[in-house]
Every structure is written in C-alpha cells, then in structure tokens.
Amino acid sequence: MHQAIFTTHFLCFNNQFYDAIWLRVKLYDYIATKKEREIIKKNQGFELVIEPLQIDDEMEALYTLYRKSMSYQMSQSLSDLLYAGEFDSCYNTLAFKVYDDTKLIAVGILDIGALSSAGISCFYDPSYKKYSLGKFLMFQKMAYCRQEGMAYFYPGYVVPGYKAFDYKMDVGTPTLEYFNMVTQNWLDAGKIQEYATPLNCMYFKLHQMQAYLQESGTCNFHFYRYFDASLDPIYSGLGLLDFPVMIKVIDTGSLKNDECKIVVYDVRDDRFHILLCNSLYTVIPYNAQEIVFTADLLQVQHVIISSSQMNIIKRVLFTD
C-alpha cells in the first residue's frame, strides 16, 4: 500500500468484512502447468515489455478504465495507489506492459527484493477480458523471478466470499501456499478449504460471549471499521485497536469519558481479552444499534486480562 510494507488479515468492502488470506509461490520447486502454457499461448500475439516503472498518462488512462469496471473500491489513480503523494519509490519496481500492436492493454507492477518479489497490481483493458491478462501477467512475473533465481513470489491475497480475487488460486498451483493466521505457518493451498477463517471464528466466539455477558450488564457486539487504521503511516506505532470484531461494554464505573472496555477474541492464542481503550479521535456520536462501529478511533491503553474462560471474563468485567 503506497510506499509501505504492510500485512492485514482482514478487509472491508462497502461495510462488509472479510478475511484476507495471503498467498505465495515457491519458485524453486515450480513447474509450469497446462493452464499456464495455454494462457501464454493465447497471448502470444501481444508484445510484452519489461522496464523500470515510470507512470505516464497512458498507464493512468488504462488504470482508470480498469478501475471503473471493478466492483470494489480502488485508489483514484495509479499514482495514488503506489505513491500516495510521495515522489520517489523506495523499491526496485518493474512494469510489465502488454501491447496489442501500439495499444497498451495491460500493466503488471512488480516489486523486487533480494530473494523474493511481490505482485503489487495488475490492471488491463476490460474489453480484453477473454485473454486472462491478469493471470498472464502473473505468469510472466513468475517466469522473470525464476530466471533471476528468486525463491518466492507473493501474488497477494484471496478473500473467501469475494470472487474478484479467486483467480489467484490458479496461479502457481503446484507450489502455491497460504498463510494460516492461527498456526502462523505457510501451508499447502490445496488444503485452504479446510481452514476455518479467523473472522468467522471471532464472530462466533464473541456472539457466544455477548449472550453470556448480557445477563450481568449491557454489552454491544460490533464490527470495528477502523481496524486497519494503523496501516496508514500517520497512525503507525500508536497502539490502535486492530481487531475487526469486538464487544463494547457499557460500563458505569470509574472510567473516564473517553475510555471504554472492549472484549475481543484472538484466534492466535484462543483467548478472550479485555482491553482498556481510549478514544484517540471521535468521528460521530456512538450508536449502540449500529452493527458497524464508526464512532471513535480506539487506542489500546493496556490489556486488563486474558482468558479462555467466559466466567473469568464476566467476573472481571462486572465485579467491583
């Protein structure tokens, strides 16, 4: 995102929340598949040019054309996507440009590291959709990286329930891996369907907890819209709440006006956590009825207690 290296395990499109499951291809074991050969053959009439990235009007016009055809929100321009107002790149970035005669029809952006590379973006003329140009560019990036002796290629993430990213599961299939947030390991992507996604698990656990806590006090379940705020360099390092699902406890005790108690569930340690948070910035008045919490940008002051036992969480919350 822009000139930052970031990782997020959750996404929000149009106030709908999703898991982001990251992928990588082991290039040192990779053998081209039949699908890869077919797509490359389909596009053999086009010219591929690989060069250092220099954004120009032609690329911006193509990006705008592509952005308008997408169902999800994208940056307003290619410059904003990659630089966000900065003028110099801190990465070694290549542009993979595809031409139909003299017409630019597709561009892929690749960041090069010492032993691996990241496919930052692909965009193309929607009228050429039948040529699978997104996959074609992925395969060309992988071929380039194998030639350069790199170990891994990172194509980005897939989003369960959001098909726009499903095409990445067809890229590098023989050695494609996904990152399991629970185990913190890279595993065979062929078993990704067995993965109980973190967002669903958090949702289920916190709904159970809300019903249990409601007997003693008012607790409101919310999705938290600003879970990814710390990805913005302006807010990085401020200890912001980064859980997409939470329970806000309505506490009449000795909390300050800008403080609140939040209950979250972390799939990585299988525990509930009571967090004391304060409002770093109030956006709108709090509405307990809204499922998506957008009232405040929350900062975590400290963890009050962590436990896998609901009765312990309840006792700490409602016992003075």
Side-chain angles (χ1 to χ4, degrees), residues 129-144:
K129 185 176 181 179
K130 68 178 182 179
Y131 291 96
S132 303
L133 288 166
K135 292 180 182 178
F136 173 69
L137 285 166
M138 289 279 198
F139 292 137
Q140 293 296 338
K141 291 175 182 179
M142 288 166 53
Y144 176 87

Side-chain angles (χ1 to χ4, degrees), residues 19-31:
D19 289 284
I21 302 179
W22 292 87
L23 303 173
R24 76 176 183 184
V25 180
K26 294 188 294 184
L27 295 175
Y28 48 86
D29 287 338
Y30 184 76
I31 299 175

Side-chain angles (χ1 to χ4, degrees), residues 220 222-230 235 237-249 256-264 275-284 286 292-302:
N220 300 322
H222 297 285
F223 286 95
Y224 177 54
R225 180 59 191 89
Y226 309 123
F227 70 90
D228 57 353
S230 59
Y235 299 110
L238 295 179
L240 300 182
L241 180 67
D242 58 1
F243 285 81
V245 190
M246 68 180 195
I247 293 173
K248 179 177 171 59
V249 182
K256 299 177 182 177
N257 289 336
D258 66 340
E259 292 181 334
C260 61
K261 290 179 181 177
I262 298 295
V263 180
V264 297
L275 309 177
L276 179 63
C277 296
N278 67 285
S279 174
L280 193 65
Y281 180 76
T282 297
V283 181
I284 59 174
Y286 174 61
V292 179
F293 181 97
T294 57
D296 298 278
L297 181 62
L298 297 176
Q299 183 180 46
V300 179
Q301 294 186 33
H302 64 266

Side-chain angles (χ1 to χ4, degrees), residues 4-20:
I5 296 175
F6 75 98
T7 298
T8 181
H9 296 290
F10 308 101
L11 300 166
C12 182
F13 301 134
N14 299 320
N15 267 354
Q16 294 292 316
F17 289 70
Y18 301 90
D19 289 284

